[in-house]
Amino acid sequence: MKIIAVHAYTIRSQTKHMFVWRQGLPGSDTTTEQTWLRLVTDGGIEGWSRTPRGALALDLVERRLKPWLLGRDPLMKERLWHELWEIDRIEEFPMYVMGWVDSALWDITAKAAQLPLYQLLGGYRHEIEAYASTVTYATTEEYLDVADQCLARGFRAIKLHAWGDARKDAALCTALRQHVGPGIALMYDGSAGFDPYESLYLGRALEAADYLWYEEPMREFSINAYRRLCAQLDIPVLTAETSDGCHYNVADFIAQEAADMVRTSSDYKGGITGALRVAHLADSFQLSAEVHGMGVENIHLCLAIRNNHYYETLVMANPIVVEPCIGPNAMVQAPAGPGLGHDINLKAMQKTAVAKL
Ligand SMILES: [Mg+2]
């Protein structure tokens, strides 16, 4: 099989429900931009994947990816994955670019095998429980109200993204535990908002409130800082979400005892190929590799990776808005069709694209 055409389509839309980051800091989005990658093969099979960027993604397709991919066998993913690292050394890709390419190649492979991707990857489960991963809300009262809505919707696990103020966030986490009682799994995601001392203060509060995990309190630049934090706390510290270098880097987090659980995802860990490497690396140390983020790629990973426990779904707005894939009791079912299962309307995409190749 050969790749005979490489296309990309950038779709821009106004977000119906704003993604609120910390206290309305830069990062809160009112528009969404996605670029779809379309790999056409001589076998009639097409591979699709998307990345949350526009002009940057198109530039990379035009300059680097298209000339490299044309004529290549998409089933030789391992080879192509290693070549991407070579190109990365020159280009210094944003991390999600590797996943963007790799996922489209896996889409082709699973379609060729006529299997949903998760079964091609091994298949561990057919459904998985989602946790409600909040955006940032204005007050403690609003968080408690949102939590009630999540529980009414069937969620039994909630993760907070909050203000990025260690003392205020600690008080919020304590209030939420008192509000929902002991039977609900609670997690907290610091999204790298703290220094080591704030991280320790907050971690102690989460421990006292029986949180399931404490995620990424600091930027993942310093393995030493994470090693110290892990030694100081009993609560599992979940990290290596946005650290660059896939399993090569996660190996050091684990070897230095700087992570109690690690993150894996198609977006930040080099696609399906990289995400599995991280998961298997963690498994060999009997650690969890919790899948980060939404989308069909990550659903397939959640269904294929034994040492992952939940699907992460963002809960936006108030009243809450939940992804359509979240079923009763917050369960997510396996996509049935072959490949990744993207729902593509090519004509509509070609018509509405604000830029394309
Ligand atoms: Mg996170």
Side-chain angles (χ1 to χ4, degrees), residues 159 161 189 215-216 241 263 292:
K159 188 180 85 177
H161 293 92
D189 188 343
E215 182 172 333
E216 199 198 347
E241 175 171 314
R263 270 308 203 193
H292 155 257

Side-chain angles (χ1 to χ4, degrees), residues 334-353:
L340 279 163
H342 283 302
D343 188 14
I344 303 291
N345 182 337
L346 180 57
K347 281 214 171 92
M349 195 178 287
Q350 286 170 325
K351 207 169 145 193
T352 56

Side-chain angles (χ1 to χ4, degrees), residues 68-87:
W68 167 65
L69 282 169
L70 279 175
R72 304 302 297 272
D73 182 347
L75 302 181
M76 297 297 282
K77 293 177 299 299
E78 184 72 11
R79 172 87 195 191
L80 294 171
W81 194 78
H82 284 281
E83 288 185 14
L84 259 182
W85 280 110
E86 285 292 310
I87 303 171

